[in-house]
Amino acid sequence: SAPRHFLSIADLTPAELTTLVRNAHLHKTAIKSGEISNQLRTSLAGKTVAMSFSKRSTRTRISTEGAVVQLGGHPMFLGKDDIQLGVNESLYDTSVVLSSMTSAIVARVGPHSDVADLAKHSSVPVINALSDLYHPLQIIADLLTIAEVNPTSSGSLGLEGLKIAWIGDANNVLFDLAIAAMKLGVEIAVATPAGYSIPKEMRGVINQAASTSSTPGKLFEATVPEEAIKNADILVTDTWVSMGQEEETAKRLTAFKGFQITTELAERGGAKENWSFMHCLPRHPEEVSDEVFYSPRSVVFREAENRLWAAISALEAFVVNNGKIQ
Ligand code: CP
């Protein structure tokens, strides 16, 4: 039967999303205390996971390679100059060949259609390691981070009722985060400069995600940061110039003026007293001040480390358990 792929948070039911985050937490706790089960530690033994990356990466590369090793497998990193993909060979041919010799493909691409095409022709699971539309592994790590810094007395994930304010560019990380928010009953308020808002088609995908939940979240959009920040528990941003947009740098830096997250902006906007700050990294100083980024409110390095536990959880679900998320 066809393998189950993981290209976006939209591919998951709310219960599956919760389970992936819960498993990331359980594996983090077990492995950190030296209690990884023999079954998990050897679950990818003798298996190769191809990592086809057409763009630079620190966190996604390290967390995926580390996760494959933790599960006893062999990560095979294939950078853009290492294989024929896109230069001498079509996506179809590459996908068929890669999947004939490996147990999974983790792919970082430009256009989302590239990872979708890889998946279409692959006989093994394909996991999206970032495309121009989605970044699902990042979001598993982000939800784990949010759960850790907002613990509930019941021990549940406890995201329902929280408010996230996204200040800055409407990009791939936001799209999957908003989809997750809709599935988990989280309010997400997005402030982007006029002209940089969520594309209409993506708004439809996010609204569709809400319809998959019995306790859907809410999406609010503004062009003024303060309107999104009001009563937010978590302030999030990302680079204003994503990989591939370098030619627009000057235009974007002008358009995003006033969107830098600072303590003063958070207070003026009326964020909750104990608000925390998140960023998927890499970070540039224009989108967040040093005094926020390096403050005790900032959970960015915990968020980065959580990429490892998210990768273990996703590999377990999609590669070890063939897409059965339990
Ligand atoms: N957050 C993230 O995906 O980082 P890298 O681009 O370094 O992998």
Side-chain angles (χ1 to χ4, degrees):
S1 64
R4 185 175 181 190
H5 307 293
F6 186 31
L7 305 189
S8 161
I9 294 295
D11 297 338
L12 306 170
T13 65
E16 287 176 331
L17 175 55
T18 304
T19 300
L20 278 183
V21 179
R22 190 199 60 211
N23 288 347
H25 166 69
L26 293 175
H27 296 326
K28 178 177 183 177
T29 309
I31 293 171
K32 283 200 160 197
S33 56
E35 287 167 9
I36 181 169
S37 70
N38 201 41
Q39 191 187 3
L40 185 65
R41 196 172 51 77
T42 56
S43 56
L44 287 182
K47 296 191 171 172
T48 300
V49 173
M51 298 170 57
S52 174
F53 278 43
S54 70
K55 290 181 168 187
R56 283 187 309 273
S57 168
T58 298
R59 282 140 289 269
T60 311
R61 176 176 179 174
I62 294 168
S63 58
T64 306
E65 287 200 28
V68 174
V69 169
Q70 291 273 2
L71 301 183
H74 173 70
M76 182 184 284
F77 186 79
L78 305 165
K80 72 176 169 57
D81 297 324
D82 295 330
I83 56 172
Q84 312 276 13
L85 177 63
V87 183
N88 273 332
E89 197 156 35
S90 70
L91 270 165
Y92 174 84
D93 294 0
T94 304
S95 179
V96 172
V97 171
L98 268 184
S99 61
S100 72
M101 290 188 259
T102 64
S103 296
I105 302 171
V106 179
R108 171 165 286 206
V109 299
H112 186 73
S113 56
D114 280 4
V115 73
D117 279 352
L118 267 177
K120 194 166 155 196
H121 305 300
S122 170
S123 57
V124 297
V126 173
I127 297 178
N128 180 6
L130 182 136
S131 68
D132 64 349
L133 293 186
Y134 303 112
H135 199 0
L137 294 171
Q138 180 67 52
I139 301 314
I140 303 298
D142 287 1
L143 298 175
L144 173 59
T145 309
I146 293 170
E148 286 176 340
V149 298
N150 296 279
T152 59
S153 51
S154 68
S156 71
L157 257 185
L159 303 187
E160 202 176 324
L162 289 174
K163 178 175 176 183
I164 298 171
W166 176 282
I167 309 300
D169 193 23
N171 67 8
N172 43 11
V173 177
L174 167 65
F175 301 154
D176 253 344
L177 183 62
I179 290 167
M182 295 307 105
K183 288 180 182 280
L184 299 182
V186 173
E187 184 178 353
I188 183 160
V190 178
T192 56
Y196 292 88
S197 60
I198 300 172
K200 193 171 155 222
E201 209 169 291
M202 184 53 67
R203 200 173 292 121
V205 176
I206 296 167
N207 288 333
Q208 166 63 25
S211 72
T212 67
S213 174
S214 55
T215 55
K218 275 192 221 140
L219 172 69
F220 169 82
E221 292 180 79
T223 52
V224 179
E226 290 87 334
E227 284 183 23
I229 289 170
K230 184 96 189 134
N231 285 328
D233 299 278
I234 303 132
L235 270 54
V236 194
T237 192
D238 192 3
T239 180
W240 294 344
V241 186
S242 290
M243 284 183 276
Q245 297 174 332
E246 290 79 4
E247 281 179 11
E248 296 175 36
T249 301
K251 188 175 142 215
R252 283 177 163 266
L253 293 188
T254 305
F256 285 81
K257 245 187 190 132
F259 281 71
Q260 187 196 46
I261 296 185
T262 61
T263 305
E264 192 276 325
L265 175 64
E267 283 172 4
R268 182 156 37 87
K272 290 231 180 93
E273 202 179 325
N274 60 346
W275 62 275
S276 45
F277 173 75
M278 293 177 63
H279 189 308
C280 66
L281 309 181
R283 168 255 181 171
H284 306 94
E286 59 264 17
E287 66 255 11
V288 54
S289 64
D290 277 358
E291 40 105 26
V292 170
F293 188 79
Y294 293 110
S295 73
R297 294 186 182 282
S298 172
V299 293
V300 297
F301 296 118
R302 176 193 282 261
E303 183 184 358
E305 183 207 306
N306 282 341
R307 292 294 310 271
L308 174 63
W309 315 113
I312 289 175
S313 179
L315 287 167
E316 176 191 40
F318 287 91
V319 188
V320 178
N321 294 334
N322 300 314
K324 199 162 188 294
I325 303 175
Q326 55 198 7

